[in-house]
Amino acid sequence: MKYLMIFLGLLIGFPLALATENETDHEKLISVVEASNLYADGQSARIEGKAILLLISQEHCSFCVQIKQEVIGPMIRSGAYNKRLIIRELLLDTGSDVIDFKGVRRGNHDFSYDYKVTLTPTLLFLDAAGNELAAKMVGIQTPDMFYYYVDQSIQEALGSLDRQAKR
């Protein structure tokens, strides 16, 4: 009976241990707020003087996961970009809709075509109206330097935003 209880404990506990391990790995992946209403995000960006970083990704894209783990996650955790940047993610493989910058509900794929996005991950650097402030980044070039390049694009976008505000 004692061995049966141990066996049952292992049988039940092992899957729970695996689930806990997987949850721990998943927790390392910072959740990026899904883009659902870019019109509202645009209004917030306009009022707060922020740019919008839009990650266009897919759930089963290993490079998208890598960007979230190695670039977007650390950016969010650091808090260094909170005052000037709204970060959103648009998933192409969920069949979801998004309210675009004009307030129109559209499919995520349809929306992404406006920006000529055909590969994931793609990073867009946008103003409150959805205009590109810096060149989009497609894929991950030079992984060791990618965070630096993203930060440079963010700084370029913020500079463009500041020049717009002065007009």
Side-chain angles (χ1 to χ4, degrees):
M1 184 69 163
K2 177 180 173 184
Y3 294 111
L4 179 60
M5 295 302 283
I6 291 171
F7 176 72
L8 288 175
L10 288 174
L11 190 62
I12 294 169
F14 186 68
L16 291 176
L18 287 178
T20 303
E21 182 178 320
N22 290 339
E23 288 171 5
T24 302
D25 289 344
H26 183 68
E27 287 170 2
K28 291 178 188 174
L29 184 60
I30 286 273
S31 177
V32 181
V33 175
E34 187 173 345
S36 60
N37 189 338
L38 291 170
Y39 180 79
D41 290 334
Q43 296 303 311
S44 295
R46 184 180 335 280
I47 292 166
E48 299 169 14
K50 293 181 177 183
I52 298 170
L53 170 61
L54 183 61
L55 166 64
I56 300 182
S57 67
Q58 297 182 71
E59 285 186 0
H60 301 291
C61 162
S62 62
F63 293 113
C64 300
V65 170
Q66 183 179 358
I67 271 188
K68 288 190 269 186
Q69 285 178 333
E70 297 176 10
V71 179
I72 305 293
M75 286 172 53
I76 292 170
R77 275 194 293 277
S78 77
Y81 298 89
N82 291 350
K83 291 183 181 178
R84 297 292 320 268
L85 196 62
I86 294 172
I87 301 173
R88 296 290 183 262
E89 179 179 20
L90 185 81
L91 291 163
L92 294 182
D93 56 354
T94 60
S96 299
D97 290 340
V98 65
I99 297 172
D100 69 13
F101 288 98
K102 295 178 182 171
V104 177
R105 180 174 296 282
R106 304 170 61 196
N108 288 358
H109 276 282
D110 183 41
F111 173 83
S112 69
Y113 290 140
D114 289 352
Y115 295 95
K116 296 177 178 55
V117 173
T118 56
L119 299 172
T120 60
T122 295
L123 293 173
L124 299 175
F125 306 89
L126 307 171
D127 68 10
N131 301 309
E132 291 187 67
L133 294 167
K136 68 177 152 252
M137 296 180 72
V138 180
I140 297 179
Q141 310 87 15
T142 57
D144 293 342
M145 296 291 293
F146 195 66
Y147 189 99
Y148 170 79
Y149 293 132
V150 171
D151 183 65
Q152 290 300 307
S153 292
I154 290 170
Q155 297 313 316
E156 181 183 339
L158 294 174
S160 294
L161 189 66
D162 291 342
R163 286 189 292 282
Q164 280 182 0
K166 290 179 182 179
R167 291 182 204 163

